Amino acid sequence: MSPWLEGQHEAGLRAAGAGGHSQLVRALPWLPLPDFPSGTRPCRGKQRGVQQPPRHFCFASLQLRAGKGVGPRGPHGPCCRSARRWPRTLTRTRPRARPDCGRCPAGGAGGPADGVWWDGKAGGDGTGSTAALRRARRQEQLVSKRLLRDDSAAEERGRDGAEIVPDPLSEDEVLELLRGVQRGSEDRKRSLSCLRHALQNKDTQQKFVRLDGSIRTLVGLFTSSLADVQMEAARCLHELSHSSDPAVAEACLPVTSYLLTYLSGHSVEFTELCLYTLGNLVVESEAVRKQLLPQGIIPVLASCIQSPHEAVLEGLGYVLSQLLQAKEAPTEIVPLVLDSVLPQHMLRLVCSGLKAGTGAAVEFAWCLHYIVCSHIADAALLSLGTLPALTTLLLDLASEIPLDAPEGLELLVCPVLRCLSNLLAGDTGCQGQIRDERLLVALFLILQSFLQQHPFIVQEGLWLLNNLTADEPFFCSALLALDLLPALLQLLPCSPMAAELVLTVLCNIAEKGPALCRQLHQALPLLLPALALPDPQAVGQGLELLHLLFLHCPEVAADFIRQGGQQALEQHQSSPVLQGRARALLDMARQPPGASATGPGHSTVSAFP
Amino acid sequence: MAMLPLPLPPGLRRRLQEGPGPPPPPAPPPPPPPPPAPPFAFTPRRLRLGLHHPLLEDGDVHRHLYLQGVLTSLAEVAERPKVSEFSCHISGCCQVFDTLEGYEHHYNTLHRNVCSFCKRSFPSAHLLDVHILEWHDSLFQIMAEKQNMYKCLVEGCVEKFKSSKDRKDHLVTAHLYPADFRFDRPRKVKSGPCHVSSPAKDGASVPMDVSVEMSEPFQVDPMETGPSENVEIPHPPASPDPATPEKRFYKSRIPSTICFGQGAARGFKGPRKKV
């Protein structure tokens, strides 16, 4: 197992943490400087995100809008809406304050795009929300939920426009609301509205579900023949589903069979609401999943996926994506999904996502990623033609995106890249299916488009590049023939993982033999700085690369010394991880040109101080 | 630190428009390379990354933020066009609406899947079909005496049962359905004017009894418990008030081709007026 799979992250952090940053190192943007995005302020409410790995965070202050220094409305005001290719499904109201932190002032104008990765300026105290999110992700505690919210005019807005979450009600007040909706009166609709509004508050949610008969009442209203009562009850259930308390989700167990029943209905809005409610419940509680599976959720979703409505499809994708992320998914859920018609429809909807239904395509792309990660679906997916289909999608995407990719496409690109990479890495011997050099073209065009705003795409794209070049000389020569080497090298400073991957790809190429090594010779000047990177894993790959180059092209060694490589190697002689290889390279470099490279171990004593 | 644009060669995008290029000539498989001599260890390796691999972390966080609605998009949702008030076109139904969605939902709830025999409304065509078959098809009753005819309601389950009760037991034990599932009422033995039955006897409140007297909607509401403070939610049979006049306007099936033609993508809502 390649050592960099473990610990590289920690190693990078350790290296960065060691004292004595040089100016060069300081400028590299991935160092763990306080990564609070500039232009935002930490939530002044209870910062649950700090003490313990929390499951939800206050986002009201977080404006990760990738703007060019402008706020969310930015230059893309309503006049530009028609120019956007993303359907409306992505647009949202302003982020709402989470109940636990009370009113949170919104951040200032949006800072640099995804500033946390790029912005070297200190902007906070290191307890930024994004850092907390990363921590939660590392602990596998990142729970995402979607909230559909119908902003009626009656809702309060704070001075920045963010919604104000209502204060919690007392037990008596909640009981009063419950009575109000149980009474059959003209007021019932109004009571339901009040209840729905009140249920935005987490405490109220908990009190409500604890009241005797409350859920039964809601279920009754939810199954009412009065459409507007039914809709309002559905909205109440939706608020409950958004709770971060698993007990609330489990209190909603009685409603699941009805949620499923209504998925076969025809009201787009209602179906959509049911879907998102289901999805939220699914991610929150294993008990809910354990009930939904025998209730037949998979066949129902399989019928639903033939709906022509984009909103329904997007909600459906959301439910599936939550189901497929469950820890029991590989054994309990993925087999059922594979047995249904879902995979072929998912693939179809992903691949048509550039023209229409991009929101749904995004959801299904993530679904495919989770399915691939289950390890049991490779053969089924490959037989559906997933590899060529996703490849074509990337080609289409690359040929259509402008230099500055419209917002949101990265959410489609990311899982597609992951699916391709993981499928290629399987044991199925499928690499020959996509021997098309245009894939490299597309990949680099995509990297170029997203480099600025979404640098995480870089490492994911490089992972795909590694899997393409590892075993196939075809892609190695194609990369050089297409003159993509300069661009590849330009990606070195993106992040520690990117640096390591770039060097790994170069190793893949060099390993293919002298013909390709010679073409890498020209890159030598750019490799020297790589040896000064703070990340020992990346430097290690650099040393491996030099080894391959020296092995196949002895003239490279001489050039290397001429360009000051010796000093670059000597600085690593005290590093336990690197010293063996550094010394071996020094020995190789000092051998007379033309001498065959025998094992480097024959001389361990350096003649130089 | 702003990233410079990548130094890509010119004409790259054009390359995409062209075809895939000639297939590479089949080369003899290269001899396996010798293993690297220590201390060097590199061998090319395709990487399979699991769900929680660190490389995927940033992308996952981004996905999370998107779902949570934090990545504010470029524009607010367009206001739904408000239409002037209009009423349901089903004769006798006088509900009014000012949004298309409200009307659509009303129509689908009350008028779309309606049984012509007993006027009950169902949430889906499938349940309507089951109802018609089991309640109003005498051939079904005859055949049910000889073979298992009661199909399980769960999509994908092929079990059949000889009685409604057996089916309900199956729904509860195998599919974890609630015992009082509202869409699985046993058919009452007497077939009479189905809509008029006293609440106590008629266990068949397949809900959504249609009432055309929308001005008094609560008479049909199964949840109606009267003005009492009784919190007990009925599973009740709430039949319509027997005084409600019957209107027989409905065909047995509304064609499923009826659609509301919005076609618009819809998603997270912006400000709009409720029905």
Side-chain angles (χ1 to χ4, degrees):
Chain A
M1 177 73 95
S2 169
W4 78 275
L5 284 173
E6 287 92 14
Q8 67 79 37
H9 200 78
E10 282 70 30
L13 291 176
R14 261 200 311 277
H21 293 305
S22 71
Q23 271 306 103
L24 169 70
V25 165
R26 191 76 190 161
L28 293 172
W30 68 80
L31 295 181
L33 299 170
D35 54 358
F36 207 85
S38 73
T40 65
R41 300 194 289 284
C43 162
R44 286 203 278 273
K46 262 191 296 186
Q47 184 68 284
R48 284 176 66 212
V50 178
Q51 284 75 30
Q52 49 177 314
R55 291 158 67 134
H56 291 275
F57 306 87
C58 164
F59 294 128
S61 59
L62 195 61
Q63 296 269 359
L64 283 189
R65 164 74 184 94
K68 302 173 182 57
V70 293
R73 294 279 186 150
H76 304 277
C79 59
C80 296
R81 211 179 296 145
S82 56
R84 289 177 50 225
R85 303 181 54 210
W86 199 274
R88 271 191 302 139
T89 50
L90 249 211
T91 57
R92 294 276 301 146
T93 56
R94 287 162 287 257
R96 86 187 244 247
R98 298 291 312 179
D100 19 23
C101 63
R103 293 182 190 208
C104 295
D114 286 343
V116 57
W117 290 291
W118 286 103
D119 194 348
K121 298 188 294 237
D125 56 1
T127 58
S129 298
T130 311
L133 283 178
R134 291 217 200 103
R135 264 200 303 278
R137 157 60 168 76
R138 259 171 255 154
Q139 286 150 359
E140 303 183 23
Q141 291 205 3
L142 201 59
V143 176
S144 328
K145 286 193 179 178
R146 267 202 140 157
L147 183 66
L148 293 193
R149 187 61 73 68
D150 176 10
D151 300 314
S152 54
E155 301 235 39
E156 291 172 43
R157 297 206 166 258
R159 76 192 131 95
D160 53 11
E163 293 165 35
I164 304 299
V165 174
D167 292 326
L169 302 181
S170 71
E171 300 259 354
D172 287 335
E173 286 168 315
V174 179
L175 187 59
E176 189 52 45
L177 275 179
L178 176 60
R179 295 283 180 268
V181 304
Q182 284 169 337
R183 273 192 291 268
S185 65
E186 290 293 324
D187 270 345
R188 171 147 53 189
K189 245 193 295 184
R190 196 157 50 237
S191 299
L192 259 182
S193 277
C194 289
L195 178 62
R196 172 170 67 85
H197 185 72
L199 285 176
Q200 293 178 25
N201 179 291
K202 177 178 170 154
D203 287 337
T204 310
Q205 289 167 353
Q206 289 166 326
K207 287 182 185 134
F208 180 78
V209 303
R210 281 188 227 125
L211 285 178
D212 194 32
S214 56
I215 292 293
R216 253 187 326 162
T217 304
L218 260 192
V219 169
L221 295 166
F222 181 54
T223 52
S224 156
S225 57
L226 295 170
D228 42 3
V229 167
Q230 183 179 45
M231 183 67 92
E232 203 61 25
R235 293 194 185 109
C236 290
L237 287 167
H238 186 67
E239 292 292 342
L240 287 176
S241 77
H242 204 252
S243 164
S244 55
D245 179 357
V248 173
E250 282 167 29
C252 294
L253 276 171
V255 87
T256 58
S257 58
Y258 297 108
L259 285 169
L260 289 183
T261 304
Y262 288 128
L263 292 189
S264 336
H266 292 267
S267 303
V268 175
E269 182 186 1
F270 186 65
T271 307
E272 190 191 10
L273 192 57
C274 291
L275 284 166
Y276 283 107
T277 304
L278 263 175
N280 288 345
L281 292 174
V282 154
V283 74
E284 191 63 60
S285 158
E286 185 175 358
V288 168
R289 298 194 294 269
K290 270 206 160 81
Q291 178 166 288
L292 278 171
L293 287 175
Q295 283 181 344
I297 184 172
I298 301 291
V300 167
L301 297 180
S303 300
C304 237
I305 203 167
Q306 310 193 40
S307 160
H309 300 287
E310 291 180 13
V312 169
L313 291 173
E314 187 175 343
L316 170 55
Y318 173 69
V319 178
L320 265 174
S321 75
Q322 300 290 46
L323 269 177
L324 289 166
Q325 284 185 90
K327 62 179 182 354
E328 73 272 17
T331 44
E332 309 290 331
I333 300 176
V334 175
L336 296 175
V337 171
L338 291 179
D339 270 343
S340 74
V341 300
L342 282 166
Q344 69 219 45
H345 287 289
M346 288 199 275
L347 188 59
R348 165 181 65 84
L349 289 163
V350 170
C351 293
S352 63
L354 285 182
K355 303 176 216 65
T358 314
V362 164
E363 298 305 311
F364 291 122
W366 285 92
C367 288
L368 283 176
H369 163 55
Y370 301 135
I371 292 180
V372 170
C373 284
S374 72
H375 286 264
I376 62 167
D378 285 18
L381 288 176
L382 289 171
S383 69
L384 287 174
T386 304
L387 270 186
L390 293 182
T391 306
T392 307
L393 176 63
L394 285 184
L395 297 184
D396 291 342
L397 213 150
S399 62
E400 287 179 24
I401 43 173
L403 198 60
D404 190 15
E407 271 309 295
L409 273 182
E410 78 281 0
L411 289 154
L412 179 59
V413 166
C414 171
V416 169
L417 289 175
R418 294 181 183 191
C419 285
L420 283 171
S421 304
N422 265 332
L423 282 173
L424 284 171
D427 294 327
T428 47
C430 60
Q431 297 82 36
Q433 282 186 29
I434 49 172
R435 218 172 263 156
D436 184 344
E437 64 173 19
R438 294 177 302 169
L439 181 53
L440 290 182
V441 174
L443 186 56
F444 274 87
L445 285 170
I446 287 170
L447 291 179
Q448 178 182 66
S449 285
F450 290 107
L451 187 54
Q452 190 76 351
Q453 310 282 358
H454 304 290
F456 68 86
I457 293 280
V458 171
Q459 61 210 33
E460 308 220 5
L462 287 172
W463 167 34
L464 175 58
L465 194 57
N466 170 74
N467 285 5
L468 289 171
T469 53
D471 295 335
E472 288 278 313
F474 171 82
F475 281 109
C476 295
S477 7
L479 195 150
L480 296 170
L482 287 165
D483 195 20
L484 295 170
L485 187 59
L488 179 63
L489 292 164
Q490 177 87 329
L491 296 171
L492 266 170
C494 280
S495 71
M497 276 192 260
E500 195 177 335
L501 282 164
V502 167
L503 293 164
T504 307
V505 169
L506 292 170
C507 287
N508 289 345
I509 298 176
E511 190 259 355
K512 301 292 178 292
L516 292 174
C517 270
R518 259 174 240 123
Q519 298 186 59
L520 290 180
H521 190 163
Q522 53 171 306
L524 201 54
L526 291 158
L527 296 177
L528 269 171
L531 297 180
L533 289 170
D535 179 27
Q537 302 288 353
V539 176
Q541 293 298 81
L543 298 179
E544 297 280 350
L545 176 61
L546 285 175
H547 169 242
L548 289 164
L549 290 175
F550 292 2
L551 205 55
H552 293 296
C553 304
E555 64 270 22
V556 174
D559 246 349
F560 178 72
I561 300 293
R562 253 196 306 278
Q563 293 174 24
Q566 185 171 320
Q567 291 81 348
L569 287 175
E570 277 166 356
Q571 65 178 297
H572 296 300
Q573 297 207 75
S574 50
S575 154
V577 177
L578 301 170
Q579 61 189 191
R581 289 178 283 184
R583 287 205 198 114
L585 284 171
L586 283 166
D587 293 339
M588 283 176 85
R590 285 182 222 130
Q591 284 171 5
S596 65
T598 56
H602 70 277
S603 162
T604 52
V605 176
S606 167
F608 289 82
Chain B
M1 168 176 151
M3 281 299 292
L4 300 170
L6 294 184
L8 294 175
L12 211 55
R13 204 172 289 256
R14 207 176 43 240
R15 176 70 192 86
L16 283 180
Q17 319 299 347
E18 300 157 11
F40 298 100
F42 177 80
T43 39
R45 191 179 287 115
R46 286 169 280 139
L47 295 161
R48 182 140 202 169
L49 303 186
L51 267 184
H52 303 288
H53 192 273
L55 185 143
L56 307 182
E57 189 176 281
D58 289 344
D60 284 352
V61 166
H62 194 75
R63 159 78 173 159
H64 170 86
L65 292 172
Y66 162 67
L67 285 179
Q68 299 278 131
V70 173
L71 303 180
T72 50
S73 301
L74 299 175
E76 297 286 309
V77 173
E79 292 263 353
R80 283 186 214 284
K82 254 206 344 226
V83 299
S84 47
E85 270 195 359
F86 60 98
S87 62
C88 180
H89 72 274
I90 301 291
S91 38
C93 180
C94 46
Q95 188 90 334
V96 287
F97 312 93
D98 65 355
T99 70
L100 204 50
E101 291 79 21
Y103 179 32
E104 177 186 56
H105 188 47
H106 160 83
Y107 186 93
N108 290 324
T109 307
L110 271 184
H111 303 310
R112 186 183 270 270
N113 301 302
V114 178
C115 174
S116 66
F117 300 95
C118 62
K119 308 300 169 284
R120 282 181 175 80
S121 185
F122 293 84
S124 68
H126 171 239
L127 286 172
L128 173 62
D129 288 343
V130 168
H131 162 81
I132 292 178
L133 188 67
E134 295 176 6
W135 283 47
H136 304 298
D137 185 340
S138 37
L139 184 59
F140 176 90
Q141 298 303 321
I142 293 169
M143 292 178 67
E145 288 161 20
K146 304 199 188 82
Q147 49 186 287
N148 292 351
M149 292 288 290
Y150 287 87
K151 281 198 271 207
C152 175
L153 296 181
V154 171
E155 216 168 324
C157 180
V158 299
E159 298 285 336
K160 295 194 193 177
F161 303 88
K162 74 172 181 348
S163 74
S164 176
K165 176 176 187 320
D166 288 351
R167 176 183 55 204
K168 174 192 282 304
D169 291 341
H170 167 79
L171 279 177
V172 170
T173 49
H175 296 295
L176 307 185
Y177 266 54
D180 60 350
F181 188 61
R182 300 176 67 116
F183 305 119
D184 179 34
R185 301 289 180 195
R187 176 173 179 264
K188 63 178 187 352
V189 176
K190 262 189 175 348
S191 65
C194 316
H195 56 280
V196 180
S197 18
S198 70
K201 243 186 345 206
D202 186 350
S205 85
V206 178
M208 330 293 141
D209 296 85
V210 176
S211 161
V212 296
E213 295 289 342
M214 294 313 292
S215 52
E216 295 163 89
F218 304 102
Q219 288 186 343
V220 300
D221 196 299
M223 287 317 307
E224 174 56 44
T225 58
S228 78
E229 294 301 301
N230 185 358
V231 300
E232 162 107 7
I233 294 327
H235 23 264
S239 317
D241 183 334
T244 307
E246 262 313 298
K247 307 260 166 91
R248 303 173 202 280
F249 295 111
Y250 313 114
K251 300 211 181 69
S252 69
R253 287 283 306 278
I254 311 288
S256 62
T257 48
I258 289 200
C259 101
F260 286 78
Q262 290 140 267
R266 178 198 343 224
F268 302 103
K269 301 180 183 61
R272 64 184 173 84
K273 192 151 175 260
K274 294 190 286 218
V275 170

Short mmCIF file of all heavy atoms in Angstrom, two decimals, chain B residues 48-68:
data_model
loop_
_atom_site.label_atom_id
_atom_site.label_comp_id
_atom_site.label_asym_id
_atom_site.label_seq_id
_atom_site.Cartn_x
_atom_site.Cartn_y
_atom_site.Cartn_z
N ARG B 48 -7.64 2.97 -5.59
CA ARG B 48 -9.06 2.91 -5.30
C ARG B 48 -9.27 3.57 -3.95
O ARG B 48 -8.73 3.12 -2.96
CB ARG B 48 -9.53 1.46 -5.25
CG ARG B 48 -11.02 1.35 -5.01
CD ARG B 48 -11.67 0.27 -5.83
NE ARG B 48 -13.09 0.55 -5.96
CZ ARG B 48 -13.91 -0.08 -6.79
NH1 ARG B 48 -13.43 -1.03 -7.57
NH2 ARG B 48 -15.18 0.23 -6.83
N LEU B 49 -10.04 4.63 -3.91
CA LEU B 49 -10.20 5.36 -2.66
C LEU B 49 -11.58 5.11 -2.08
O LEU B 49 -12.58 5.14 -2.79
CB LEU B 49 -10.02 6.86 -2.90
CG LEU B 49 -8.69 7.27 -3.52
CD1 LEU B 49 -8.58 8.78 -3.58
CD2 LEU B 49 -7.53 6.70 -2.72
N GLY B 50 -11.61 4.87 -0.80
CA GLY B 50 -12.88 4.63 -0.14
C GLY B 50 -13.61 5.92 0.15
O GLY B 50 -13.09 7.02 -0.03
N LEU B 51 -14.80 5.76 0.64
CA LEU B 51 -15.69 6.90 0.87
C LEU B 51 -15.06 7.97 1.74
O LEU B 51 -15.34 9.15 1.59
CB LEU B 51 -16.95 6.41 1.59
CG LEU B 51 -18.15 6.04 0.75
CD1 LEU B 51 -19.31 5.68 1.65
CD2 LEU B 51 -18.54 7.16 -0.17
N HIS B 52 -14.23 7.56 2.67
CA HIS B 52 -13.76 8.50 3.68
C HIS B 52 -12.30 8.85 3.52
O HIS B 52 -11.66 9.32 4.45
CB HIS B 52 -14.03 7.93 5.07
CG HIS B 52 -15.48 7.62 5.28
ND1 HIS B 52 -16.42 8.60 5.44
CD2 HIS B 52 -16.15 6.44 5.30
CE1 HIS B 52 -17.62 8.03 5.56
NE2 HIS B 52 -17.49 6.73 5.49
N HIS B 53 -11.78 8.65 2.35
CA HIS B 53 -10.38 8.95 2.15
C HIS B 53 -10.12 10.45 2.25
O HIS B 53 -10.94 11.26 1.81
CB HIS B 53 -9.94 8.44 0.78
CG HIS B 53 -8.46 8.46 0.61
ND1 HIS B 53 -7.78 9.58 0.17
CD2 HIS B 53 -7.52 7.53 0.86
CE1 HIS B 53 -6.49 9.30 0.14
NE2 HIS B 53 -6.30 8.08 0.55
N PRO B 54 -8.99 10.82 2.82
CA PRO B 54 -8.69 12.25 2.99
C PRO B 54 -8.70 13.05 1.69
O PRO B 54 -9.06 14.22 1.69
CB PRO B 54 -7.28 12.26 3.60
CG PRO B 54 -7.13 10.94 4.24
CD PRO B 54 -7.99 9.98 3.51
N LEU B 55 -8.34 12.41 0.60
CA LEU B 55 -8.32 13.16 -0.65
C LEU B 55 -9.69 13.69 -1.02
O LEU B 55 -9.84 14.69 -1.69
CB LEU B 55 -7.76 12.28 -1.79
CG LEU B 55 -7.56 12.95 -3.14
CD1 LEU B 55 -6.32 12.41 -3.81
CD2 LEU B 55 -8.74 12.74 -4.05
N LEU B 56 -10.71 12.98 -0.57
CA LEU B 56 -12.08 13.34 -0.94
C LEU B 56 -12.72 14.31 0.04
O LEU B 56 -13.86 14.71 -0.13
CB LEU B 56 -12.93 12.07 -1.02
CG LEU B 56 -12.38 10.95 -1.89
CD1 LEU B 56 -13.32 9.76 -1.92
CD2 LEU B 56 -12.12 11.44 -3.29
N GLU B 57 -11.94 14.67 1.02
CA GLU B 57 -12.53 15.44 2.12
C GLU B 57 -13.07 16.79 1.67
O GLU B 57 -14.21 17.15 1.97
CB GLU B 57 -11.44 15.63 3.17
CG GLU B 57 -11.88 16.22 4.46
CD GLU B 57 -10.71 16.25 5.43
OE1 GLU B 57 -10.41 15.19 6.01
OE2 GLU B 57 -10.09 17.32 5.57
N ASP B 58 -12.26 17.52 0.96
CA ASP B 58 -12.69 18.86 0.57
C ASP B 58 -13.92 18.81 -0.32
O ASP B 58 -14.83 19.63 -0.20
CB ASP B 58 -11.54 19.59 -0.15
CG ASP B 58 -10.43 19.96 0.81
OD1 ASP B 58 -10.67 19.94 2.03
OD2 ASP B 58 -9.32 20.26 0.35
N GLY B 59 -13.92 17.86 -1.23
CA GLY B 59 -15.09 17.74 -2.09
C GLY B 59 -16.34 17.40 -1.30
O GLY B 59 -17.43 17.92 -1.56
N ASP B 60 -16.18 16.55 -0.29
CA ASP B 60 -17.34 16.18 0.53
C ASP B 60 -17.85 17.36 1.34
O ASP B 60 -19.06 17.51 1.53
CB ASP B 60 -16.97 15.03 1.47
CG ASP B 60 -16.88 13.70 0.75
OD1 ASP B 60 -17.26 13.64 -0.44
OD2 ASP B 60 -16.43 12.72 1.36
N VAL B 61 -16.93 18.16 1.82
CA VAL B 61 -17.37 19.33 2.57
C VAL B 61 -18.14 20.27 1.65
O VAL B 61 -19.16 20.84 2.03
CB VAL B 61 -16.14 20.03 3.21
CG1 VAL B 61 -16.51 21.40 3.72
CG2 VAL B 61 -15.60 19.19 4.35
N HIS B 62 -17.64 20.40 0.47
CA HIS B 62 -18.32 21.27 -0.50
C HIS B 62 -19.73 20.75 -0.78
O HIS B 62 -20.70 21.51 -0.82
CB HIS B 62 -17.50 21.33 -1.78
CG HIS B 62 -17.89 22.40 -2.72
ND1 HIS B 62 -17.60 23.73 -2.51
CD2 HIS B 62 -18.58 22.37 -3.89
CE1 HIS B 62 -18.08 24.46 -3.51
NE2 HIS B 62 -18.68 23.65 -4.36
N ARG B 63 -19.84 19.46 -0.94
CA ARG B 63 -21.15 18.84 -1.19
C ARG B 63 -22.07 19.08 0.00
O ARG B 63 -23.25 19.39 -0.15
CB ARG B 63 -20.94 17.34 -1.42
CG ARG B 63 -22.14 16.45 -1.21
CD ARG B 63 -23.09 16.48 -2.36
NE ARG B 63 -24.16 15.49 -2.22
CZ ARG B 63 -25.30 15.56 -2.84
NH1 ARG B 63 -25.54 16.56 -3.67
NH2 ARG B 63 -26.22 14.63 -2.67
N HIS B 64 -21.52 18.97 1.18
CA HIS B 64 -22.31 19.19 2.39
C HIS B 64 -22.84 20.61 2.42
O HIS B 64 -24.02 20.85 2.69
CB HIS B 64 -21.44 18.91 3.61
CG HIS B 64 -22.06 19.32 4.90
ND1 HIS B 64 -22.92 18.51 5.61
CD2 HIS B 64 -21.95 20.45 5.61
CE1 HIS B 64 -23.29 19.12 6.70
NE2 HIS B 64 -22.73 20.31 6.74
N LEU B 65 -21.97 21.55 2.13
CA LEU B 65 -22.39 22.94 2.16
C LEU B 65 -23.46 23.21 1.12
O LEU B 65 -24.39 24.00 1.34
CB LEU B 65 -21.18 23.86 1.94
CG LEU B 65 -20.17 23.86 3.08
CD1 LEU B 65 -18.93 24.63 2.70
CD2 LEU B 65 -20.78 24.45 4.34
N TYR B 66 -23.33 22.57 0.00
CA TYR B 66 -24.35 22.74 -1.03
C TYR B 66 -25.70 22.24 -0.53
O TYR B 66 -26.72 22.91 -0.67
CB TYR B 66 -23.92 21.98 -2.28
CG TYR B 66 -25.02 21.70 -3.27
CD1 TYR B 66 -25.64 22.73 -3.96
CD2 TYR B 66 -25.45 20.40 -3.51
CE1 TYR B 66 -26.65 22.47 -4.87
CE2 TYR B 66 -26.45 20.13 -4.40
CZ TYR B 66 -27.05 21.17 -5.09
OH TYR B 66 -28.06 20.91 -5.99
N LEU B 67 -25.72 21.05 0.05
CA LEU B 67 -26.98 20.50 0.54
C LEU B 67 -27.57 21.37 1.63
O LEU B 67 -28.78 21.53 1.71
CB LEU B 67 -26.76 19.09 1.08
CG LEU B 67 -26.57 17.99 0.04
CD1 LEU B 67 -26.35 16.66 0.71
CD2 LEU B 67 -27.77 17.92 -0.88
N GLN B 68 -26.71 21.88 2.48
CA GLN B 68 -27.22 22.69 3.57
C GLN B 68 -27.64 24.07 3.10
O GLN B 68 -28.10 24.87 3.88
CB GLN B 68 -26.13 22.84 4.66
CG GLN B 68 -25.68 21.54 5.27
CD GLN B 68 -26.60 21.04 6.37
OE1 GLN B 68 -27.00 19.90 6.37
NE2 GLN B 68 -26.93 21.90 7.30
#
